Amino acid sequence: MVDSVRESYNKICGQWSDFCISRKVNKCIEDFAELLKPQCKILDVGCGTGFPIDDYLAKCGFIVTGIDISEEMIKRAENLNLPGAKFLTEDILNFHPDEQYEAIIAFDSLWHIEHDRQEDIYKILSSLMISGGMLLFTHGKEDGEIIGTMFGEKFYNSAIDGERVKSLLKENGFEILSFIENYREETTGDRDLLVVAKKV
């Protein structure tokens, strides 16, 4: 399934880049950044082309590491030449860095992970963060799998029940600060779920 998602993102990379280049950074990202310490180390899971989120974070002075399974997306992100930022072709399920992060953002990425690995996500994210680290992610809120379409390419998506997500966050050392279902905001649009949590 990972190979299928990677291939689809590689195919639409140019169209995705053109779409993103005119977008403003999401207000929820701006609000999240206000919670972070200056120059903290941020991991962006599923960073895509790096714009607008990593562009914004790097220019705010944060030290950004972006990972994505799409080689073409990472090439675009590298071409931004953002100060203090690096971009790696990596799968979060098999990512083993030599450092931990003070914040993690997973914006519109976790739902591409296979359904039978969804419960593993929260342990992995926790292992990558320092105590006191901040987490923001978007996701689905209902258990199941679907195949969606974007720019004419098919994309696998899955999620687990929102109440199970709450349990897994708590089991893996997170305090939930905000858990918003049916999130809607002008710069972001509609999302089934937006979560902000702190590793305790």
Side-chain angles (χ1 to χ4, degrees), residues 39-44 63-67 84-88 92 95-104 124-130 199:
Q39 298 182 311
C40 83
K41 295 188 293 185
I42 303 175
L43 176 66
D44 183 8
I63 301 167
V64 178
T65 298
I67 64 171
K86 61 181 176 181
F87 297 96
L88 308 169
I92 186 60
F95 183 50
H96 304 290
D98 295 328
E99 59 185 339
Q100 288 184 303
Y101 300 92
E102 295 161 272
I104 294 181
I124 291 169
L125 294 176
S126 181
S127 73
L128 294 171
M129 301 177 70
I130 66 166
K199 184 178 175 182

Side-chain angles (χ1 to χ4, degrees), residues 35-165:
L35 303 175
L36 308 180
K37 297 177 181 178
Q39 298 182 311
C40 83
K41 295 188 293 185
I42 303 175
L43 176 66
D44 183 8
V45 179
C47 64
T49 63
F51 193 92
I53 291 176
D54 296 326
D55 178 79
Y56 174 80
L57 295 172
K59 289 174 180 176
C60 284
F62 299 116
I63 301 167
V64 178
T65 298
I67 64 171
D68 202 285
I69 59 173
S70 166
E71 300 90 348
E72 294 302 318
M73 292 284 186
I74 290 297
K75 288 178 186 176
R76 297 265 181 159
E78 290 175 331
N79 286 339
L80 294 174
N81 295 313
L82 297 177
K86 61 181 176 181
F87 297 96
L88 308 169
T89 306
E90 294 278 0
D91 181 344
I92 186 60
L93 297 179
N94 300 299
F95 183 50
H96 304 290
D98 295 328
E99 59 185 339
Q100 288 184 303
Y101 300 92
E102 295 161 272
I104 294 181
I105 293 171
F107 196 87
D108 293 356
S109 57
L110 300 182
W111 54 40
H112 290 310
I113 293 172
E114 294 91 335
H115 188 263
D116 63 1
R117 297 298 306 275
Q118 281 289 330
E119 294 205 357
D120 299 335
I121 292 170
Y122 306 96
K123 182 177 181 180
I124 291 169
L125 294 176
S126 181
S127 73
L128 294 171
M129 301 177 70
I130 66 166
S131 179
M134 300 293 294
L135 170 66
L136 177 147
F137 65 92
T138 58
H139 214 324
K141 63 178 181 179
E142 296 180 1
D143 186 81
E145 302 171 275
I146 62 169
I147 301 296
T149 303
M150 182 167 57
F151 294 117
E153 293 295 324
K154 293 181 178 179
F155 287 88
Y156 171 86
N157 298 275
S158 75
I160 54 178
D161 179 78
E163 291 303 312
R164 182 61 181 142
V165 170

